[in-house]
Amino acid sequence: MAARELIGPVLAAAFFVGAFAFQLSTPEAAVCAAPAAELRDKPGFAATDEEMAESEKKVLPADTVVLRKRYTAESGETFLQSLVVGGARRASIHRPELCLPSQGYRMASPRTVAVAGRDWRLVDFEGKGSHGTLAYTFFNQAGFRTASHVARIFRDVWDRSVLNRVDRWVMCTVLGARDDARLVAFLEQAGKDLQRDE
């Protein structure tokens, strides 16, 4: 009877020792080169560079790159586009639904739209006297693209665990007015820029 009670703990110990030995014998993961990322001028818009916020510098890993431009049309309508190029650690990129509520914004009506062959996740937000729609999408150096944070995480886990490589992800976000038609028109231009980078 005592031997039966030991089977579970012995098997568990063998599993963890084996997994630990496997990790020790696995060579260090190859860190892929980041995709080329650049925010370009867009017809009909004046572009202004925006700096990375101090809070981002404090929270994000040092090898994270953040590029941001504000695009203003003659009508006064603006779109804020950002590219976050992830570093070797997973903490560089997270889905916006995690940080915006903690900053005091309410989020609603999540949806996915396809624009010129690329999926974008759209979510409405309001708070702090402002409201609008946020769109985001992800791609990596291998050309994998998705608007699903879950799909990105599963792909990243597979590549790190099985292929022993660290993908460099880019998250593109666009903040705009709560008007899907005008936002989609801007995303068409933003998507063309990203296709040249992949």
Side-chain angles (χ1 to χ4, degrees):
M1 185 105 163
R4 283 186 181 170
E5 293 174 359
L6 290 176
I7 290 175
V10 167
L11 289 175
F15 172 78
F16 285 111
V17 168
F20 184 69
F22 175 76
Q23 287 293 329
L24 287 177
S25 66
T26 302
E28 189 171 330
V31 178
C32 295
E38 181 183 358
L39 294 174
R40 298 175 178 91
D41 292 341
K42 295 175 176 51
F45 292 91
T48 307
D49 290 325
E50 301 240 336
E51 294 294 320
M52 186 176 179
E54 286 301 319
S55 58
E56 291 173 315
K57 292 177 184 176
K58 291 178 184 174
V59 173
L60 296 174
D63 59 352
T64 305
V65 176
V66 177
L67 305 172
R68 186 170 289 131
K69 279 186 186 283
R70 183 173 302 278
Y71 295 92
T72 306
E74 288 182 10
S75 65
E77 182 176 34
T78 64
F79 294 92
L80 182 65
Q81 183 177 2
S82 300
L83 293 176
V84 179
V85 183
R89 292 179 40 213
R90 278 178 268 190
S92 293
I93 295 178
H94 57 275
R95 61 191 177 103
E97 289 93 335
L98 294 178
C99 63
L100 288 179
S102 67
Q103 296 173 25
Y105 292 96
R106 291 179 301 285
M107 305 187 81
S109 304
R111 57 215 180 266
T112 301
V113 299
V115 180
R118 179 185 295 274
D119 285 345
W120 293 82
R121 186 76 171 160
L122 274 59
V123 61
D124 297 334
F125 69 90
E126 64 178 75
K128 298 184 176 182
S130 66
H131 67 278
T133 299
L134 170 73
Y136 64 88
T137 191
F138 307 100
F139 65 95
N140 69 7
Q141 81 291 332
F144 182 79
R145 51 164 89 164
T146 182
S148 167
H149 179 68
V150 173
R152 185 188 74 81
I153 290 295
F154 275 115
R155 174 67 183 245
D156 196 48
V157 168
W158 174 264
D159 288 349
R160 287 174 186 260
S161 302
V162 177
L163 301 181
N164 200 35
R165 77 177 190 205
V166 176
D167 285 332
R168 299 291 297 276
W169 289 93
V170 176
M171 179 177 71
C172 177
T173 63
V174 175
L175 282 170
R178 194 173 292 178
D179 180 323
D180 281 7
R182 294 200 317 259
L183 180 58
V184 164
F186 185 86
L187 294 179
E188 286 179 3
Q189 293 189 52
K192 288 176 187 173
D193 288 348
L194 299 181
Q195 286 171 352
R196 282 185 258 167
D197 291 331
E198 296 171 332

